[in-house]
Amino acid sequence: MLLDLKLPGMDGLETLGRLKELDGSIEVVMLSALDSAEQAVSSLRKGAYDYITKPFDGDELIATLSRLSEGLKLKSEIEFLKEELKERNGLRYLNGEMISRSPAMRKVFGLMQAVSRTSSGVLITGESGTGKELVARAIHFMSDRREKPFVAVNCGAVPSELMESELFGHERGAFTGAHQRKIGKFEHSDTGTLFLDEVSTLPMHLQIKLLRVLQERSFERVGSNSSIRIDIRVIAASNARLEDEVAAGRFREDLFYRLKVVPIELPPLRERKEDVPLLVEHFLEKLSKKCGKRVEGVHPEVIRAFMDYGWPGNIRELENLMERLVVLAPEGGLIRGDDLPMGMMALADDAAPGKELTLDFKDAVKAFERRYIKGALDKASWNRAETARALKIHRNTLLLKMRELGIKGPGSAPPRE
Ligand SMILES: Nc1ncnc2c1ncn2[C@@H]1O[C@H](COP(=O)(O)OP(=O)(O)OP(=O)(O)O)[C@@H](O)[C@H]1O
Ligand SMILES: [Mg+2]
């Protein structure tokens, strides 16, 4: 805006002040007579971009305006970069700590980013070890509440009689044994995020209380009548499908809907096998650092076995196994199939929970035999006599089995005699 200092009714300085209050992003260039230079300078203090003294020529005006437009461009670029940096940090958090390339998890990342900009309730469901707590923490750290407390409560780990005071706190003398005032988790998480893990195990009477807090944003300590207002975001997590708990009458339906404003479902690892190699890399790096040990890498046969396995314990199971493998691996060496727990190399995981049976019994046995015999041959560098001895079968039986099962040799190489 080009604004003259001398105006009828309200002078330029006051107009400038009101304008800036209305919308700080409007840039103003003041026009002033030579004798009001002092006022022109004070207009700069009030947020004007520049001033031009009258009389002025066209070139002078154009020069000032193009400086202004350059300045505006720079300002918006800086704003943009600032935003991007924030975004990147958020993503770095996701990419650094949470590994995934599967489309299902990409969708989850998108949801996490969207919900991190709000204070809406989030309900995270997924099998054990799928990363529910990690997702809850990531949402907190991507949100504006990141500098405020993140308080996690495992609803299943606290005995039901103690849970109420654990959550809401109590006043001194509220019940026998309450020698001191106690601040509960709700109060501790004020202005931050409260993570209610295993929420399905919350007893009925506390479900009612929780619902009230979520609706009224206030609660009372046990043994007190004065309400305490709080500002929290609640993220709940559950292994069990809460719909089923509701249907079975163990979980309040109204609370279920309150919690699940934004539902996030984490797919089990067996449904995102493409993440297995990435996670192996990630854990290898993380765990070899933790164990102070250099490990060369993982043999492709291990990755193959991992891709076949069902991972009932999901990412936690993979992480724990990788830790064991890193600890046991030779310094500077490779993690090999031999290091895997019994059965993992050989057993088809068709019977793993949640997986559809694709083989009938005979084919499953054949698949097992094929892998088992191949594994044994690999270990003996394809020396058949040695393999037969290790398997405690006659050499002819081994040859017969190999023909029957179509086992020819390592890769496409012809078998050695
Ligand atoms: N996408 C991922 N990338 C890297 N690590 C992950 C990922 N998901 C989970 N993890 C790791 O796997 C482990 C289990 O995750 P987490 O504790 O969040 O699972 P959970 O769903 O809460 O399990 P539970 O139901 O058993 O409590 C953690 O060590 C976590 O850091
Ligand atoms: Mg957990």
Side-chain angles (χ1 to χ4, degrees):
M1 177 181 270
L2 295 172
L3 180 63
D4 205 294
L5 266 174
K6 283 216 175 65
L7 299 170
M10 184 192 290
D11 74 6
L13 271 185
E14 193 180 347
T15 309
L16 173 67
R18 296 247 192 129
L19 201 66
K20 283 280 169 187
E21 258 170 45
L22 275 177
D23 183 348
S25 71
I26 298 174
E27 295 297 344
V28 182
V29 175
M30 304 301 291
L31 306 174
S32 77
L34 251 185
D35 60 356
S36 55
E38 213 169 292
Q39 269 191 310
V41 171
S42 67
S43 74
L44 294 185
R45 256 181 255 124
K46 283 197 157 180
Y49 178 77
D50 204 347
Y51 66 86
I52 304 177
T53 47
K54 294 188 286 192
F56 54 84
D57 60 22
D59 286 345
E60 197 185 343
L61 180 62
I62 287 172
T64 306
L65 291 181
S66 57
R67 246 189 303 128
L68 171 57
S69 108
E70 276 303 302
L72 285 181
K73 229 165 78 190
L74 204 65
K75 201 166 141 188
S76 82
E77 247 161 58
I78 290 173
E79 285 303 312
F80 173 77
L81 287 175
K82 265 195 197 157
E83 275 306 303
E84 205 186 47
L85 201 65
K86 251 200 252 161
E87 191 97 326
R88 237 243 226 106
N89 286 338
L91 278 178
R92 173 133 37 87
Y93 188 84
L94 282 178
N95 286 339
E97 298 284 326
M98 285 203 71
I99 310 294
S100 184
R101 64 146 69 119
S102 76
M105 283 303 285
R106 291 272 141 202
K107 235 189 243 164
V108 167
F109 288 170
L111 267 177
M112 289 166 66
Q113 265 178 321
V115 81
S116 70
R117 293 186 206 111
T118 72
S119 279
S120 303
V122 182
L123 175 63
I124 308 171
T125 48
E127 287 177 16
S128 171
T130 45
K132 296 185 291 297
E133 180 153 359
L134 195 62
V135 167
R137 284 180 193 277
I139 291 174
H140 173 75
F141 284 105
M142 289 191 296
S143 77
D144 287 344
R145 297 172 182 263
R146 70 179 70 84
E147 320 240 299
K148 302 291 166 45
F150 175 90
V151 178
V153 191
N154 187 336
C155 302
V158 182
S160 150
E161 326 75 83
L162 298 181
M163 196 62 200
E164 182 165 11
S165 105
E166 182 75 15
L167 286 177
F168 303 100
H170 61 243
E171 294 296 339
R172 190 176 158 189
F175 46 84
T176 21
H179 299 302
Q180 251 162 12
R181 162 185 287 178
K182 179 186 158 93
I183 302 297
K185 301 286 189 190
F186 272 101
E187 245 174 299
H188 277 307
S189 59
D190 193 15
T191 71
T193 304
L194 179 65
F195 177 51
L196 294 174
D197 206 356
E198 307 287 346
V199 73
S200 65
T201 59
L202 207 60
M204 264 300 169
H205 71 284
L206 292 181
Q207 290 181 23
I208 301 170
K209 278 196 97 167
L210 173 60
L211 180 66
R212 240 203 72 214
V213 184
L214 294 181
Q215 276 166 347
E216 293 167 20
R217 303 271 148 201
S218 70
F219 69 98
E220 292 96 43
R221 295 192 193 117
V222 177
S224 153
N225 326 318
S226 54
S227 294
I228 301 173
R229 291 208 65 80
I230 39 162
D231 160 30
I232 52 170
R233 136 126 72 199
V234 173
I235 302 181
S238 172
N239 271 331
R241 276 170 41 89
L242 274 187
E243 289 88 337
D244 298 345
E245 298 300 298
V246 170
R250 285 187 294 263
F251 203 81
R252 287 184 68 102
E253 190 171 14
D254 43 9
L255 178 59
F256 170 58
Y257 285 111
R258 263 283 155 181
L259 291 174
K260 158 190 131 128
V261 179
V262 181
I264 294 185
E265 198 171 333
L266 296 181
L269 186 54
R270 65 179 169 280
E271 284 172 17
R272 40 173 162 135
K273 288 272 175 73
E274 64 267 50
D275 287 347
V276 167
L278 289 180
L279 287 164
V280 167
E281 272 301 301
H282 168 70
F283 288 133
L284 193 65
E285 194 188 314
K286 178 173 148 188
L287 295 167
S288 50
K289 219 176 270 163
K290 180 178 153 194
C291 303
K293 188 165 184 179
R294 202 174 57 81
V295 179
E296 187 69 36
V298 176
H299 194 280
E301 71 191 3
V302 172
I303 301 286
R304 239 174 287 134
F306 280 6
M307 295 297 274
D308 277 344
Y309 183 62
W311 301 109
N314 292 294
I315 301 173
R316 189 198 313 285
E317 184 182 0
L318 175 60
E319 184 173 14
N320 290 342
L321 178 59
M322 284 303 295
E323 177 157 6
R324 188 157 101 217
L325 293 175
V326 166
V327 168
L328 296 178
E331 179 73 36
L334 209 60
I335 294 173
R336 301 183 160 276
D338 305 4
D339 308 325
L340 295 184
M342 261 304 284
M344 196 176 239
M345 278 299 279
L347 268 173
D349 71 327
D350 269 63
K355 184 149 178 181
E356 231 178 284
L357 289 177
T358 52
L359 297 177
D360 60 31
F361 182 72
K362 261 196 212 144
D363 287 340
V365 171
K366 263 195 196 157
F368 171 83
E369 285 187 335
R370 193 177 298 119
R371 274 200 249 171
Y372 199 72
I373 292 175
K374 266 185 139 175
L377 283 161
D378 269 339
K379 281 185 210 197
S381 313
W382 286 74
N383 180 319
R384 284 135 195 237
E386 197 182 316
T387 305
R389 264 199 304 281
L391 294 175
K392 297 201 176 74
I393 54 176
H394 194 275
R395 187 168 172 276
N396 287 342
T397 312
L398 175 65
L399 293 177
L400 190 72
K401 277 279 171 203
M402 284 174 68
R403 200 169 326 128
E404 200 183 291
L405 297 166
I407 300 174
K408 298 223 171 64
S412 56
R416 275 185 307 176
E417 270 311 316

